[in-house]
Amino acid sequence: MSRILTLNAGSSSLKFGLFDASVPEPPLVASGHVDSIGSPNAGITVKAADGAPLAAEGPGPVKDHADALDRVLSLVARLFPGAAVDAVGHRVVHGGPDHDAPVALTPAIAEDLDRFSPFAPLHQPHNLAGVRAAMARFPGAVQVACFDTAFHRRHPWENDTFALPRAYYDKGVRRYGFHGLSYEFIAGHLREAAPLLHSGRVVVAHLGNGASMCALLDGRSVGSTMGFSALDGLPMGTRCGQLDPGVLLYLMDQEGMSAAEITDLLYRKSGLLGLSGLSNDMRRLEAADTPEARQAISYFTFRIRRELGALAAVLGGLDAVVFTGGIGENSRLVRARVCDGMHWIGLDLDPDANAANAPEISAKLSRVRVLVVPTDEERVIARAAARHLEGRPYPTQRSLR
Ligand code: ADP
């Protein structure tokens, strides 16, 4: 049987999905992840499409991404004997200025994507390590890169640039936006489930460990809270979100911090963790009864509300808000705090629906609808890989700039 493998390689993790490629909308067969790659205490878990556990290994050593992929594939071969992998879909965080659609990878294109590693140093090298490992393991399979930046590549120029001398824009210093696979899934969901909203003005809040918001007009991204890097916009689990660049100058000049130290501070020690001094995990913050944990949640929801107003202005109004990501899908508290007092924009929450985690949580008379939609980035990758297998890849739509 023909299969599609999806890979999502993080700095020390590898998430994967196995899909049945013989059906047009490929159904998930199994998924899993490898954690703590590079440590002696790595773990591997595989579960069936319905979430039932299928296999677990570890804690034990997993050397690197190639080792992780080998371990995953051995488990998959044992669990699903006779399954041939015809396509591998990769999440690649950065596609640079030109990639506005998934692309079939050749060794030359994969090498070229290394150019964007300095733009996303904590993600891109690991994504490409996964690509190289899969190319070596499946030389006959089509390898498809799906970029987190691609969905945003047709932003209007004002939303794509910084007010720096133009030479920097030409060198690629632009507002790219990320979480594009998640937003593409949500846009596709709206097209099917709520076509009127799909053709309207929607703000999607992807609130997970990483968090951003996206303005959708007619199903297309016209604005994002993230910019050049995955640091900008909302505060996140351990990332700072929007920061006055003057703070960086101060840290370098007055505190003598190096680029590596600042990177560590902004990516790993800030956000909810930095503010609370306790945890990056929203569940722990909600359960904690400390002023710092409460303030961390307040800052998080305040910034979401602020960006909601800004993105509604970009859209010229608002028809719907969609919550997704681990926090957006599960945290009643965060959703309630974001929507509180938003009547001025036409948004009224139904507290009971919100408490029940219902798919629609706006009040009946609310002009702005509020939806909760579980995202599925792996499915977006599998769809793109399936289209390449069928010989009908997504067209590349160069921006009109
Ligand atoms: P990632 O960006 O790593 O994919 P997720 O989308 O899985 O992150 O989201 C992780 C976040 O979701 C964590 O902060 C976690 O605490 C939060 N979360 C998950 N379930 C709940 C819940 N029931 N209530 C509040 N927060 C939750």
Side-chain angles (χ1 to χ4, degrees):
M1 184 176 287
S2 168
R3 305 276 194 211
I4 293 168
L5 181 69
T6 61
L7 295 180
N8 180 352
S11 53
S12 63
S13 69
L14 180 71
K15 289 188 202 158
F16 65 92
L18 192 65
F19 292 79
D20 180 354
S22 54
V23 187
E25 170 75 10
L28 179 69
V29 177
S31 64
H33 59 268
V34 186
D35 287 321
S36 306
I37 295 173
S39 89
N41 300 315
I44 309 177
T45 54
V46 186
K47 54 189 186 181
D50 64 3
L54 290 178
E57 281 186 4
V62 172
K63 202 165 64 180
D64 51 23
H65 283 81
D67 190 16
L69 184 61
D70 273 344
R71 303 281 292 277
V72 163
L73 294 173
S74 307
L75 267 179
V76 165
R78 183 154 61 73
L79 292 166
F80 305 97
V85 172
D86 291 318
V88 185
H90 299 269
R91 178 184 199 169
V92 177
V93 71
H94 220 299
D98 293 331
H99 286 295
D100 57 6
V103 66
L105 288 166
T106 59
I109 297 178
E111 198 175 312
D112 183 57
L113 291 173
D114 246 341
R115 273 194 300 140
F116 307 120
S117 291
F119 291 4
L122 301 190
H123 295 94
Q124 190 87 342
H126 305 292
N127 299 158
L128 297 180
V131 167
R132 279 189 280 273
M135 280 179 152
R137 192 67 156 71
F138 302 108
V142 57
Q143 310 275 339
V144 179
C146 301
F147 304 104
D148 267 308
T149 48
F151 191 65
H152 304 293
R153 282 319 300 139
R154 283 183 295 153
H155 281 178
W157 179 82
E158 295 84 345
N159 236 339
D160 193 37
T161 193
F162 297 104
L164 292 170
R166 281 178 182 266
Y168 291 98
Y169 182 86
D170 298 337
K171 284 186 203 168
V173 181
R174 305 182 189 190
R175 295 183 52 87
Y176 289 98
F178 297 88
H179 289 134
L181 302 177
S182 175
Y183 295 127
E184 188 175 335
F185 178 84
I186 300 295
H189 169 85
L190 292 178
R191 196 188 311 116
E192 298 298 319
L196 271 182
L197 286 188
H198 176 263
S199 58
R201 302 159 298 183
V202 179
V203 171
V204 186
H206 176 108
L207 310 177
N209 246 323
S212 72
M213 292 164 77
C214 174
L216 292 178
L217 192 62
D218 206 12
R220 296 193 173 153
S221 170
V222 292
S224 161
T225 58
M226 273 186 176
F228 176 68
S229 72
L231 278 178
D232 202 4
L234 303 179
M236 305 173 220
T238 59
R239 285 174 251 167
C240 57
Q242 190 272 329
L243 193 70
D244 177 346
V247 174
L248 303 184
L249 302 178
Y250 167 82
L251 294 176
M252 288 187 291
D253 283 349
Q254 304 300 317
E255 304 252 328
M257 287 177 78
S258 67
E261 287 167 333
I262 293 178
T263 300
D264 192 44
L265 176 76
L266 302 187
Y267 276 96
R268 300 193 184 91
K269 296 188 175 144
S270 299
L272 296 174
L273 173 65
L275 283 173
S276 69
L278 180 71
S279 174
N280 63 317
D281 190 304
M282 185 55 79
R283 278 167 297 200
R284 281 198 64 196
L285 298 185
E286 287 186 11
D289 197 19
T290 67
E292 292 83 5
R294 283 196 293 273
Q295 279 188 329
I297 297 175
S298 289
Y299 182 75
F300 185 62
T301 54
F302 166 74
R303 295 301 308 203
I304 297 168
R305 289 160 64 84
R306 205 178 124 139
E307 296 293 346
L308 181 60
L311 292 175
V314 168
L315 288 167
L318 188 64
D319 298 310
V321 174
V322 177
F323 285 100
T324 192
I327 298 172
E329 292 165 29
N330 296 296
S331 174
R332 303 158 174 85
L333 176 76
V334 167
R335 291 190 306 248
R337 296 274 292 275
V338 169
C339 297
D340 183 40
M342 281 280 177
H343 183 73
W344 65 273
I345 206 169
L347 189 165
D348 295 290
L349 198 68
D350 176 340
D352 294 335
N354 183 44
N357 265 332
E360 180 151 3
I361 59 172
S362 39
K364 277 211 166 46
L365 292 179
S366 179
R367 195 188 53 71
V368 173
R369 292 173 66 188
V370 186
L371 310 180
V372 179
V373 180
T375 196
D376 191 347
E377 292 154 315
E378 266 64 35
R379 173 147 302 284
V380 173
I381 300 172
R383 276 183 196 146
R387 288 188 60 133
H388 276 271
L389 270 185
E390 293 159 12
R392 45 180 204 102
Y394 290 110
T396 299
Q397 295 154 317
R398 297 279 178 217
S399 114
L400 297 174
R401 279 189 303 279

